[in-house]
Amino acid sequence: MSHPGDPTLDRADALFDVGRYEQAAALAAQHLATDPLDATALVLLARCQHRLGRAEEAFDSIETALLAEPDALPSWLMRTHILLALKKYEEAERSARHSVELAPDYWGSHYALGTVLDRSSRKERQREAYEAARRAVSLAPGESAAHFLVGLTAHRVGDHRVAEQAYETALRLDPQSSEAHNNLSLLQLRRRWFRRGAWTKAAAGFVESAALDTNDRQARYNLEAMAWGTVAGARWVALLGFVGAALGSAPLRTGASGGDALVPYLIGVAVVVGGWGGWALWLTRRVPARLRRPLLLVARGCRPVIAMGVAVGLLGLHSVVAMALWTVDASVVGALGYPLFWGVVITYWVSRAALRRRAPASERAG
């Protein structure tokens, strides 16, 4: 926004656009020292304070702006977003509805109303939020944020086809939207059992979302959940390998010879080697090379993933050793194997609960 004759506010706007909110707020305050009821400067100051997490200060600034210009649309829209940050939803809704009354043909008014209504857990309010989002799109089809809101509200009410199309449109208009990448990936993850390559696309979307916004805790958590799910899925291979190794090596440990010992042993080897070899092949096809490093980095920093990986790895290693050292007494093998077996089972449930506790509070669809 240009401010003719006022280079201070122009510089403040420029600083705000590049994310330097403290400096922008300082310049806006400098201007307000000479003109304390400049509504434009007050709105800019409120925007800076809002981005800096100082919602109460932002609310005071925007109330002063409304005292100066009671029907200024930018002030009412900013007031709505501040009230949302303060979790004053009823007051935020009244503010948004007043914005629609002030500017019924402006997409931002309907966008603000849809954003507020989307926070409700009531189905009818979410449906109204969806209609407000669609109205915003009809007024401004080139606005990525409006399409994203359509996707978000359609996602909430279970219309996944419309949500997917809306997220894809939002990304065509703004490829840098980390939220659109994240939510589209959530939809793809839901369909991983029914659509080939959906899991891989979801992982790629989460990686892209996390890369675009390094502070995006939600995208990182989604990657952690995918990494944990991948490792937890290997528990079935480890458990099958444990059973195969125990049964396959049992005849040799009890003194059997010839075909009675060799055939079960070879079957056990086939189960262990085939199981882990098949899992490794499946994993390389499911997780392309470009995604392995991000998932590995995320896994290394997530204790539930590490715990699950260690438990599965130890049981898998035990199966291999049990087949290789078939002369070792069965009681020794069992003394090591059974705790590892139950360790995998228990670790699965404990690490799953720990992973869920890591989930961030989020306003996104899920």
Side-chain angles (χ1 to χ4, degrees), residues 267-350:
I267 292 174
V269 170
V271 169
V272 174
V273 174
W276 284 109
W279 182 80
L281 178 62
W282 170 81
L283 189 63
T284 56
R285 296 185 64 179
R286 192 184 205 193
V287 186
R290 71 182 187 278
L291 299 180
R292 290 171 200 162
R293 178 175 170 78
L295 282 173
L296 181 61
L297 290 174
V298 165
R300 285 170 55 185
C302 181
R303 290 183 179 179
V305 178
I306 294 172
M308 195 71 238
V310 169
V312 168
L314 288 175
L315 186 60
L317 179 62
H318 175 273
S319 301
V320 173
V321 172
M323 295 303 293
L325 303 179
W326 51 268
T327 57
V328 176
D329 188 80
S331 61
V332 176
V333 174
L336 291 172
Y338 288 114
L340 293 175
F341 178 95
W342 287 109
V344 167
V345 175
I346 294 169
T347 301
Y348 171 80
W349 293 107
V350 172

Side-chain angles (χ1 to χ4, degrees), residues 141-177:
E143 289 289 343
S144 173
H147 288 282
F148 174 80
L149 186 60
V150 168
L152 185 64
T153 52
H155 200 159
R156 300 273 198 219
V157 299
D159 195 340
H160 294 163
R161 183 185 61 82
V162 170
E164 185 173 5
Q165 291 174 346
Y167 291 144
E168 288 173 347
T169 302
L171 284 171
R172 281 198 298 272
L173 293 168
D174 180 13
Q176 304 301 307
S177 172

Side-chain angles (χ1 to χ4, degrees), residues 120-137:
S120 175
S121 59
R122 290 161 53 188
K123 211 69 172 177
E124 65 273 16
R125 308 281 278 190
Q126 292 178 347
R127 177 59 62 177
E128 188 182 357
Y130 173 59
E131 295 302 329
R134 290 184 60 192
R135 176 62 176 157
V137 165

